């Protein structure tokens, strides 16, 4: 194997890949690892939630969520906030997080699975429920995304 092939394989391996899940109802969730340099504790993992209703209106999880999209929310969680979300998913406990500009996300376990409730930057609100079988895969996806985001944190960043 030559250097260029090995380098291309390495870059493909470390490039952040999103994790997607679609519920039987057609709601979608995407976990997007950070891929921008940030200071310690400031790298973000983006959660993009799109209900089936919003998807029918043309909103997709592959594009940025429009500011006025009903049933679609995009929220970025820092590497400081993510461990709490991951622990809540693993331990089946209630967790919520608020950050600037009225962004809010909450996780509530229920017999039907895991209820996600998110308020985005521009007042968009999205609620969806993931099945019990998706609780741990979501926690694993968030953990992998957290690892990627932490790799982008640079102690030298202001």
């Amino acid at each position: 194997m030559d250097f260029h092939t090995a380098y291309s394989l390495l870059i493909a391996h470390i490039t952040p890949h999103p994790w997607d899940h679609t519920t039987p109802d057609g709601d979608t969730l995407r976990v997007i690892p950070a891929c921008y340099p940030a200071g310690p504790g400031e790298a973000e993992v983006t959660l993009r939630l799109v209900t089936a209703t919003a998807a029918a209106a043309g909103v997709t999880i592959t594009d940025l969520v429009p500011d006025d999209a009903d049933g679609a929310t995009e929220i970025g969680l820092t590497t400081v906030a993510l461990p709490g979300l991951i622990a809540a998913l693993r331990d089946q406990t209630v967790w919520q997080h608020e950050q600037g500009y009225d962004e809010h996300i909450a996780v509530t376990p229920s017999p039907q699975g895991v209820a996600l409730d998110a308020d985005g930057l521009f007042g968009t609100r999205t609620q969806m429920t993931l099945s019990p079988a998706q609780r741990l895969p979501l926690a694993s996806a968030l953990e992998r995304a957290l690892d990627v985001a932490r790799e982008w944190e640079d102690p030298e960043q202001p």
Side-chain angles (χ1 to χ4, degrees):
M1 178 182 312
D2 68 356
F3 172 78
H4 293 293
T5 302
Y7 182 74
S8 296
L9 289 172
L10 175 66
I11 294 302
H13 179 72
I14 63 173
T15 300
H17 297 282
W19 177 85
D20 297 329
H21 175 69
T22 302
T23 69
D25 297 336
D27 297 341
T28 56
L29 169 65
R30 176 170 266 200
V31 175
I32 307 165
C35 58
Y36 300 106
E42 295 176 351
E44 289 187 346
V45 171
T46 302
L47 295 179
R48 193 173 290 160
L49 298 88
V50 178
T51 63
T53 305
V59 179
T60 70
I61 60 167
T62 58
D63 299 321
L64 290 173
V65 172
D67 298 348
D68 60 350
D70 288 332
T73 302
E74 185 171 291
I75 188 166
L77 296 172
T78 65
T79 54
V80 173
L82 272 170
L85 173 56
I86 294 166
L89 288 167
R90 291 194 192 280
D91 301 338
Q92 296 184 350
T93 58
V94 174
W95 178 85
Q96 61 182 356
H97 177 71
E98 292 184 28
Q99 54 193 31
Y101 305 111
D102 298 327
E103 290 179 306
H104 172 265
I105 186 164
V107 174
T108 308
S110 72
Q112 294 80 26
V114 177
L116 299 173
D117 184 9
D119 295 317
L121 182 60
F122 299 100
T124 58
R125 183 174 189 167
T126 306
Q127 296 175 310
M128 69 175 55
T129 301
L130 300 177
S131 71
Q134 286 304 311
R135 178 178 57 84
L136 291 179
L138 174 57
S140 293
L142 288 168
E143 187 121 337
R144 288 190 306 276
L146 175 61
D147 289 343
V148 170
R150 283 182 175 153
E151 288 298 316
W152 284 94
E153 292 181 339
D154 181 0
E156 302 300 318
Q157 286 283 337

